[in-house]
Every structure is written in C-alpha cells, then in structure tokens.
C-alpha cells in the first residue's frame, strides 16, 4: 500500500478560557474541544525518492494540491509541514504527494488546517508501518500547532485498522490545558450542530493579542461542564459554554457579532457560541426539526453553513 485517504474532522470549542500569558508569549488556556462530522478528505501517496546520477534530489519531495485555488499549498501549509516533520523525524526516503479535498471553511476557528496536518501524520505513520504510540504522534503534532494533538486523537478514534499503540487515548472530545496540547479524553457530546461562518477571516494571533484578561466578566466553570458531559446533563453543559475570546472578536468584527445575534434570535438552540477565535458561530440542537429550520434561515446569511452532528 502506497496511498491512503482519510477524513480530517473539524472541531468546535464547547468552552474556552484564558488563564494568563506565559513568558514565551503563548497563552495558558483551559477548554473543552469536540469534533464534528464536517471533514476534509486528505489523500497521501508515497513513492520511492527519484534522484539524479550525482544523487542530487530533482524536485521538492513533498507536493501538496488542494480543491480550493485560494488555499496556499507550499511550505506554510500545515499538511506540507506535517510531511516534512515526518520525513525529518523518521528518515524516510520517499516522495510524498498530498491532496486536500477541502470542505471545512478556511480560517474559521474550526481547526481545518490542524486537522489536515494531523491526517498527514496519521497517514504516513500507517504507510511507513511505524507502529508508533498515539501519544508519541501527538507529541510530534504539537510542533505544528496546539490544536494538532487533539485532531490526532479524534481522528484516531474514527480510524479502523489503526497501527498505533495506546489507542485508549483516542477520543473525539477532550479537556485541553497548557497551550491546548495537554489533553484528557472526555465522553463526547451527542447532538446536532449548526455551523455558520460569516464571509470574513479572523486571525487567531490578532484576537489573542487583543485580549485583555481584566475585561473578561464571565468565565466558564470548566470542571462543571466536564461533569455535565460525564452525567449527560445538558443544563450543566449549557450554563458553562462560554468562550472568552468573544470579548475581542465580537467587539472588533461586526459580521461575527451579527451572526451570533441572528442565530440566538431563533431561540430554538440550547446554546449558541463562537468556535475558537472565530469567525464561525455554532448552535447546538437536540430537535432535528428546529435545527433544520434554523439551518435554512442561517444559509440565507452565509453560504458556508452546515447542519451536522457531533462525533462519538
């Protein structure tokens, strides 16, 4: 086998709290992340390395293509970075071809790029028969970004015939600490999710830089939300679904604030929240009829609107 295709799932934040800023500039966070059934399809193919007679490499051994023309596919792409990291770490002499069939909105607070990078790490570990520990791959993933380890553990949960040890860590829901890389598996939420991304992009770095901890009036009780997941108590979950980054994004990006208000005005979801640093707003439903009606209305505001489910 020299080719594998896999689903790279998006995530939402059921809560996101910022506790402070570390000396290295990264923010210390507590959050609960949940994967959803919206995914890119990542295809990875490996061939033996082609070389000239003098043993000089002919071309870049990593090639990334995508279904979206506006997506950068060079060295800044996380799928490219993931392939390069795997090559350098495990000394594999292969040409790597990656194609990204993009369905997750770009720069949306849904970890689409991180999911693609995670899929490449998992795919190459399979194609090269490395038989790694899941946690080893997650520790490698954090070098690419704070969301990548969670994407790895969630995608590992959905993969069949996975050649990774330590699969008990695989989960589609997790409590994240540190910069988001310290993960504890949690029971997943089971509900419908309405996602809608306004027609703007939001920079995560800009949002975090604009965050003033002293101005945050409401923080989630993350422990109580986790207890709600374990007890399947929607009231406890709903009460603590707070994202402190909304204090920046909703203030500075009018379209995001308008989208959240628009979805709240339906008064049919049990909670409406921004995912990550935005701009995507999501609403949680247990009633399919109400969710479908909200989807039809939200689609009028943004083409990038989806009615999906959480992943178990």
């Amino acid at each position: 086998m020299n080719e594998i295709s896999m689903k790279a799932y998006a995530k939402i934040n059921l809560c996101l709290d910022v506790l402070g800023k570390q000396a290295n500039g990264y923010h210390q966070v507590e959050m609960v992340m949940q994967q959803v059934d919206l995914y890119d399809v990542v295809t990875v193919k490996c061939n033996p390395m082609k070389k000239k007679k003098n043993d000089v490499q002919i071309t870049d051994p990593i090639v990334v293509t995508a279904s979206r023309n506006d997506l950068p596919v060079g060295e800044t792409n996380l799928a490219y970075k993931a392939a390069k990291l795997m090559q350098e770490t495990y000394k594999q002499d292969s040409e790597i071809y990656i194609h990204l069939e993009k369905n997750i909105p770009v720069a949306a607070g849904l970890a689409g790029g991180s999911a693609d990078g995670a899929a490449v790490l998992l795919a190459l570990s399979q194609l090269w028969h490395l038989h790694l520990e899941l946690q080893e791959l997650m520790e490698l993933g954090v070098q690419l970004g704070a969301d990548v380890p969670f994407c790895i553990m969630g995608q590992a949960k959905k993969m069949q015939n996975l050649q990774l040890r330590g699969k008990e860590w695989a989960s589609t829901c997790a409590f994240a600490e540190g910069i988001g890389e310290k993960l504890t598996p949690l029971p997943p939420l089971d509900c419908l999710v309405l996602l809608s991304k306004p027609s703007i992009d939001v920079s995560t770095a800009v949002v975090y830089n604009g965050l003033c901890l002293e101005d945050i009036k409401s923080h989630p009780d993350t422990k109580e939300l986790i207890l709600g997941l374990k007890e399947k108590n929607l009231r406890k979950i709903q009460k603590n679904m707070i994202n402190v980054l909304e204090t920046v994004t909703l203030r500075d990006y009018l379209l995001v604030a308008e989208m959240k208000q628009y979805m709240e005005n339906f008064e049919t979801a049990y909670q409406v929240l921004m995912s990550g640093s935005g701009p995507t707003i999501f609403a949680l439903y247990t009633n399919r009829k109400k969710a479908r009606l909200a989807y039809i209305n939200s689609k009028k505001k943004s083409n990038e609107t989806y009615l999906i489910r959480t992943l178990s």
Side-chain angles (χ1 to χ4, degrees):
M1 182 177 67
N2 71 336
E3 182 176 321
I4 188 170
S5 292
M6 64 176 59
K7 295 176 180 179
Y9 294 98
K11 64 85 185 168
I12 55 175
N13 296 88
L14 299 182
C15 70
L16 195 162
D17 200 9
V18 179
L19 307 182
K21 194 172 184 179
Q22 301 175 355
N24 60 9
Y26 287 98
H27 286 79
Q28 184 180 354
V29 300
E30 283 188 352
M31 54 189 175
V32 174
M33 295 188 286
Q34 168 71 56
Q35 283 191 320
V36 295
D37 196 19
L38 174 65
Y39 53 85
D40 297 338
V41 178
V42 179
T43 301
V44 182
K45 182 178 181 179
C46 292
N47 289 328
M49 186 79 76
K50 294 177 184 177
K51 294 184 178 180
K52 292 182 178 179
K53 292 182 180 180
N54 60 2
D55 213 35
V56 175
Q57 185 180 304
I58 296 176
T59 58
D60 189 336
I62 301 169
V63 176
V64 180
T65 58
S67 60
R68 287 183 56 151
N69 294 329
D70 60 339
L71 187 73
V73 293
E75 295 182 0
T76 60
N77 186 288
L78 274 178
Y80 182 102
K81 290 181 178 181
K84 188 173 183 63
L85 181 60
M86 288 291 283
Q87 271 194 336
E88 292 174 348
T89 303
Y90 299 105
K91 312 301 181 187
Q92 294 290 321
D93 197 25
S94 300
E95 290 182 336
I96 302 170
Y97 300 90
I98 302 166
H99 181 70
L100 308 176
E101 187 66 34
K102 292 295 295 181
N103 299 303
I104 303 171
V106 176
L110 300 172
S114 295
D116 294 345
V120 171
L121 296 181
L122 284 161
L124 291 176
S125 72
Q126 296 286 93
L127 292 171
W128 293 341
H129 305 289
L130 297 176
H131 300 285
L132 303 174
E133 288 275 357
L134 179 57
Q135 283 186 291
E136 181 181 350
L137 207 58
M138 289 164 62
E139 289 170 4
L140 194 66
V142 77
Q143 298 181 43
L144 301 173
D147 286 338
V148 176
F150 172 67
C151 293
I152 291 171
M153 72 188 295
Q155 289 172 30
K157 180 71 174 178
K158 305 304 291 184
M159 288 178 64
Q160 297 179 348
N161 304 317
L162 182 64
Q163 299 172 6
L164 279 175
R165 291 172 286 122
K167 275 193 69 176
E168 63 273 10
W169 277 88
S171 177
T172 58
C173 186
F175 171 51
E177 303 172 88
I179 62 170
E181 88 290 6
K182 298 176 183 177
L183 298 166
T184 304
L186 293 173
L189 184 63
D190 181 18
C191 67
L192 292 161
V193 183
L194 172 63
L195 290 175
S196 193
K197 184 205 171 194
S199 56
I200 57 169
D201 295 341
V202 171
S203 165
T204 298
V206 169
V207 171
Y208 271 100
N209 287 335
L211 186 66
C212 181
L213 295 178
E214 293 76 16
D215 291 345
I216 300 172
K217 295 180 175 61
S218 298
H219 292 266
D221 185 337
T222 308
K223 291 181 180 178
E224 189 74 0
L225 192 150
I226 291 171
L227 188 60
L229 287 169
K230 292 178 178 179
E231 296 176 348
K232 300 187 184 302
N233 184 324
L234 289 181
R235 176 60 186 149
K236 287 183 180 178
I237 297 169
Q238 175 196 44
K239 183 179 178 182
N240 292 289
M241 284 182 62
I242 296 171
N243 180 348
V244 301
L245 297 184
E246 287 187 348
T247 61
V248 180
T249 308
L250 300 188
R251 179 195 69 203
D252 295 346
Y253 298 88
L254 181 60
L255 279 179
V256 184
E258 288 178 348
M259 178 61 78
K260 186 179 183 190
Q261 184 64 56
Y262 183 76
M263 292 171 72
E264 286 176 334
N265 284 345
F266 299 144
E267 297 182 348
T268 52
Y270 74 81
Q271 189 56 283
V272 179
L273 199 68
M274 183 180 78
S275 185
S277 58
T280 300
I281 302 296
F282 70 91
L284 301 183
Y285 286 86
T286 54
N287 183 294
R288 176 165 290 277
K289 185 176 180 180
K290 291 179 180 179
R292 181 67 184 171
L293 182 59
Y295 166 76
I296 292 169
N297 285 310
S298 297
K299 191 77 172 176
K300 298 173 184 176
K301 294 279 284 185
S302 171
N303 286 329
E304 291 189 293
T305 297
Y306 309 87
L307 181 57
I308 50 179
R309 290 200 70 89
T310 52
L311 282 181
S312 59

Coordinates of all heavy atoms in Angstrom, one line a residue, residues 33-78:
M33 N -12.9 20.6 23.8 CA -13.0 20.6 22.4 C -13.8 19.3 22.0 O -13.6 18.3 22.6 CB -11.6 20.6 21.7 CG -10.8 21.9 22.0 SD -9.3 22.0 21.0 CE -8.3 20.8 21.9
Q34 N -14.6 19.5 21.0 CA -15.4 18.4 20.5 C -15.3 18.3 18.9 O -15.5 19.3 18.3 CB -16.9 18.6 20.9 CG -17.9 17.8 20.2 CD -17.9 16.3 20.7 OE1 -18.0 16.0 21.9 NE2 -17.7 15.4 19.7
Q35 N -15.0 17.2 18.4 CA -15.0 17.0 16.9 C -16.4 16.9 16.4 O -17.3 16.4 17.1 CB -14.1 15.9 16.5 CG -12.7 16.2 16.6 CD -11.8 15.1 15.9 OE1 -12.1 14.0 16.0 NE2 -10.7 15.6 15.3
V36 N -16.6 17.3 15.2 CA -17.9 17.3 14.5 C -17.8 16.6 13.1 O -16.7 16.5 12.6 CB -18.5 18.7 14.4 CG1 -18.8 19.3 15.7 CG2 -17.6 19.6 13.6
D37 N -18.9 16.2 12.6 CA -18.9 15.4 11.3 C -18.9 16.3 10.1 O -19.7 16.2 9.2 CB -20.1 14.5 11.3 CG -19.9 13.4 10.2 OD1 -18.8 13.2 9.8 OD2 -21.0 12.8 9.8
L38 N -17.9 17.2 10.1 CA -17.6 18.1 8.9 C -16.1 17.8 8.7 O -15.3 18.0 9.6 CB -17.9 19.5 9.2 CG -17.5 20.5 8.1 CD1 -18.2 20.3 6.8 CD2 -17.6 22.0 8.6
Y39 N -15.7 17.4 7.5 CA -14.4 17.0 7.3 C -13.8 17.3 5.9 O -14.5 17.4 4.9 CB -14.3 15.5 7.6 CG -15.2 14.6 6.8 CD1 -14.9 14.2 5.5 CD2 -16.5 14.3 7.3 CE1 -15.8 13.5 4.7 CE2 -17.4 13.5 6.5 CZ -17.0 13.1 5.3 OH -17.9 12.4 4.5
D40 N -12.5 17.5 5.9 CA -11.7 17.4 4.6 C -11.4 16.0 4.4 O -11.3 15.2 5.3 CB -10.4 18.2 4.8 CG -10.7 19.7 5.0 OD1 -11.8 20.2 4.7 OD2 -9.7 20.4 5.5
V41 N -11.1 15.6 3.1 CA -10.6 14.3 2.8 C -9.1 14.5 2.3 O -8.8 15.3 1.4 CB -11.4 13.7 1.6 CG1 -10.8 12.3 1.3 CG2 -12.9 13.5 2.0
V42 N -8.2 13.9 3.1 CA -6.8 14.0 2.9 C -6.3 12.7 2.3 O -6.4 11.7 2.9 CB -6.1 14.4 4.2 CG1 -4.6 14.5 3.9 CG2 -6.6 15.6 4.8
T43 N -5.7 12.8 1.1 CA -5.1 11.7 0.4 C -3.6 11.8 0.4 O -3.1 12.9 -0.1 CB -5.7 11.5 -1.0 OG1 -7.1 11.4 -1.0 CG2 -5.1 10.3 -1.7
V44 N -2.9 10.8 0.9 CA -1.5 10.8 0.9 C -0.9 9.7 0.2 O -1.3 8.5 0.4 CB -1.0 10.8 2.4 CG1 0.6 10.9 2.5 CG2 -1.6 11.9 3.2
K45 N 0.0 9.9 -0.7 CA 0.7 8.9 -1.5 C 2.2 9.0 -1.4 O 2.7 10.1 -1.4 CB 0.2 9.0 -3.0 CG 0.8 8.0 -3.9 CD 0.3 8.2 -5.4 CE 0.8 7.1 -6.3 NZ 0.3 7.3 -7.7
C46 N 2.8 7.9 -1.3 CA 4.3 7.8 -1.2 C 4.9 7.0 -2.3 O 4.4 5.9 -2.6 CB 4.7 7.2 0.2 SG 4.3 8.2 1.6
N47 N 6.0 7.5 -2.9 CA 6.8 6.8 -3.9 C 8.2 6.8 -3.5 O 8.6 7.7 -2.7 CB 6.6 7.4 -5.3 CG 5.2 7.2 -5.8 OD1 4.6 6.1 -5.6 ND2 4.7 8.1 -6.6
P48 N 9.0 5.9 -4.0 CA 10.5 6.0 -3.7 C 11.0 7.3 -4.3 O 10.6 7.8 -5.3 CB 11.0 4.8 -4.5 CG 9.9 3.8 -4.6 CD 8.7 4.7 -4.7
M49 N 12.0 7.8 -3.6 CA 12.6 9.1 -4.0 C 13.3 9.0 -5.3 O 14.1 8.1 -5.6 CB 13.6 9.5 -2.9 CG 14.2 10.9 -3.1 SD 13.1 12.2 -2.6 CE 13.3 12.1 -0.8
K50 N 13.1 9.9 -6.2 CA 13.8 10.0 -7.5 C 15.0 10.9 -7.4 O 14.9 12.0 -6.9 CB 12.8 10.6 -8.6 CG 11.6 9.7 -8.9 CD 10.8 10.4 -9.9 CE 9.5 9.5 -10.2 NZ 8.6 10.2 -11.2
K51 N 16.1 10.4 -7.9 CA 17.4 11.2 -7.7 C 18.1 11.1 -9.1 O 18.0 10.2 -9.9 CB 18.2 10.6 -6.6 CG 17.6 10.7 -5.2 CD 18.6 10.3 -4.2 CE 17.9 10.5 -2.8 NZ 18.8 10.0 -1.7
K52 N 19.0 12.1 -9.2 CA 19.8 12.2 -10.4 C 21.0 11.3 -10.2 O 21.2 10.7 -9.1 CB 20.3 13.6 -10.6 CG 19.2 14.6 -11.1 CD 19.8 16.0 -11.3 CE 18.7 16.9 -11.8 NZ 19.3 18.3 -12.0
K53 N 21.9 11.1 -11.2 CA 23.0 10.3 -11.1 C 24.0 10.7 -10.0 O 24.6 9.9 -9.3 CB 23.7 10.2 -12.4 CG 23.0 9.5 -13.5 CD 23.7 9.4 -14.8 CE 22.9 8.7 -15.9 NZ 23.7 8.6 -17.2
N54 N 24.1 12.0 -9.8 CA 25.0 12.5 -8.8 C 24.4 12.5 -7.4 O 24.8 13.1 -6.5 CB 25.5 13.9 -9.1 CG 24.4 14.9 -9.3 OD1 23.2 14.6 -9.1 ND2 24.8 16.1 -9.7
D55 N 23.2 11.9 -7.3 CA 22.5 11.7 -6.0 C 21.9 13.0 -5.5 O 21.7 13.2 -4.3 CB 23.4 11.1 -5.0 CG 22.6 10.2 -4.0 OD1 21.7 9.5 -4.5 OD2 23.0 10.2 -2.8
V56 N 21.7 13.9 -6.4 CA 21.0 15.2 -6.0 C 19.5 15.1 -6.3 O 19.1 14.6 -7.3 CB 21.6 16.4 -6.8 CG1 20.9 17.7 -6.5 CG2 23.1 16.5 -6.5
Q57 N 18.8 15.5 -5.3 CA 17.3 15.5 -5.5 C 16.8 16.3 -6.6 O 17.3 17.5 -6.8 CB 16.7 15.9 -4.1 CG 15.2 15.8 -4.1 CD 14.7 16.3 -2.7 OE1 15.1 15.8 -1.7 NE2 13.8 17.3 -2.8
I58 N 15.9 15.8 -7.4 CA 15.4 16.5 -8.6 C 14.5 17.7 -8.2 O 14.7 18.8 -8.6 CB 14.7 15.6 -9.6 CG1 15.7 14.5 -10.1 CG2 14.1 16.3 -10.7 CD1 15.1 13.5 -11.0
T59 N 13.5 17.4 -7.4 CA 12.5 18.4 -7.0 C 12.2 18.3 -5.6 O 12.7 17.4 -4.9 CB 11.2 18.2 -7.8 OG1 10.7 16.8 -7.6 CG2 11.4 18.3 -9.3
D60 N 11.4 19.2 -5.1 CA 10.9 19.1 -3.7 C 10.1 17.8 -3.5 O 9.2 17.4 -4.3 CB 9.9 20.3 -3.4 CG 9.5 20.4 -2.0 OD1 9.6 19.4 -1.2 OD2 9.1 21.5 -1.5
P61 N 10.5 16.9 -2.6 CA 9.9 15.6 -2.4 C 8.5 15.7 -1.8 O 7.8 14.6 -1.7 CB 10.9 14.9 -1.4 CG 11.5 16.0 -0.6 CD 11.6 17.2 -1.6
I62 N 8.0 16.9 -1.5 CA 6.7 17.0 -0.9 C 5.8 17.9 -1.8 O 6.2 19.0 -2.1 CB 6.7 17.6 0.5 CG1 7.6 16.7 1.4 CG2 5.3 17.8 1.0 CD1 7.9 17.4 2.8
V63 N 4.7 17.4 -2.3 CA 3.9 18.1 -3.2 C 2.5 18.1 -2.6 O 1.9 17.0 -2.3 CB 3.8 17.5 -4.6 CG1 2.8 18.3 -5.5 CG2 5.2 17.6 -5.2
V64 N 1.9 19.3 -2.4 CA 0.5 19.4 -1.9 C -0.4 20.1 -2.9 O 0.0 21.1 -3.5 CB 0.5 20.2 -0.6 CG1 -0.9 20.4 0.0 CG2 1.4 19.6 0.5
T65 N -1.5 19.5 -3.2 CA -2.5 20.1 -4.0 C -3.8 20.2 -3.2 O -4.0 19.5 -2.2 CB -2.8 19.3 -5.3 OG1 -3.2 18.0 -5.0 CG2 -1.5 19.3 -6.1
A66 N -4.7 21.1 -3.7 CA -6.0 21.3 -3.0 C -7.1 21.6 -3.9 O -6.9 22.0 -5.1 CB -5.8 22.4 -2.0
S67 N -8.3 21.3 -3.5 CA -9.5 21.5 -4.3 C -9.9 23.0 -4.3 O -10.7 23.4 -5.2 CB -10.7 20.7 -3.7 OG -11.0 21.1 -2.4
R68 N -9.3 23.8 -3.5 CA -9.5 25.3 -3.4 C -8.3 26.0 -4.0 O -7.2 25.8 -3.5 CB -9.8 25.8 -2.0 CG -11.2 25.4 -1.5 CD -11.5 25.9 -0.1 NE -11.3 27.4 -0.1 CZ -12.0 28.1 0.8 NH1 -12.9 27.6 1.6 NH2 -11.8 29.4 0.8
N69 N -8.5 26.8 -5.0 CA -7.4 27.6 -5.6 C -6.8 28.6 -4.6 O -5.7 29.0 -4.8 CB -7.8 28.2 -6.9 CG -8.2 27.2 -8.0 OD1 -7.6 26.1 -8.0 ND2 -9.1 27.6 -8.8
D70 N -7.6 29.1 -3.7 CA -7.2 30.1 -2.8 C -6.4 29.6 -1.6 O -6.0 30.4 -0.7 CB -8.3 31.0 -2.3 CG -9.4 30.2 -1.6 OD1 -9.4 28.9 -1.7 OD2 -10.2 30.8 -0.8
L71 N -6.2 28.3 -1.5 CA -5.5 27.7 -0.3 C -4.0 27.6 -0.6 O -3.6 27.0 -1.6 CB -6.1 26.4 0.0 CG -5.6 25.7 1.3 CD1 -6.2 26.4 2.5 CD2 -5.9 24.2 1.3
P72 N -3.2 28.2 0.2 CA -1.7 28.1 0.0 C -1.3 26.6 0.2 O -1.7 26.0 1.2 CB -1.1 29.0 1.1 CG -2.2 29.9 1.5 CD -3.5 29.2 1.3
V73 N -0.5 26.1 -0.7 CA -0.1 24.7 -0.7 C 1.4 24.5 -0.5 O 1.9 23.4 -0.6 CB -0.7 23.9 -1.9 CG1 -2.2 23.8 -1.9 CG2 -0.2 24.5 -3.2
G74 N 2.1 25.6 -0.3 CA 3.5 25.5 -0.1 C 4.0 25.2 1.3 O 3.2 24.5 2.1
E75 N 5.1 25.7 1.7 CA 5.7 25.4 3.0 C 5.0 25.9 4.1 O 5.2 25.5 5.3 CB 7.2 25.9 3.0 CG 8.1 25.2 2.0 CD 9.5 25.7 2.0 OE1 9.8 26.6 2.9 OE2 10.3 25.2 1.2
T76 N 4.0 26.9 3.9 CA 3.2 27.4 5.0 C 2.0 26.5 5.4 O 1.4 26.7 6.4 CB 2.7 28.8 4.7 OG1 1.9 28.8 3.5 CG2 3.9 29.8 4.5
N77 N 1.7 25.6 4.5 CA 0.5 24.7 4.7 C 0.9 23.7 5.8 O 1.9 23.0 5.7 CB 0.2 24.0 3.4 CG -1.1 23.3 3.5 OD1 -1.2 22.2 4.1 ND2 -2.2 23.8 2.9
L78 N 0.0 23.4 6.7 CA 0.2 22.5 7.8 C 0.4 21.1 7.3 O 1.1 20.3 7.9 CB -0.8 22.6 8.9 CG -0.6 23.7 9.9 CD1 -1.8 23.7 10.9 CD2 0.6 23.5 10.7

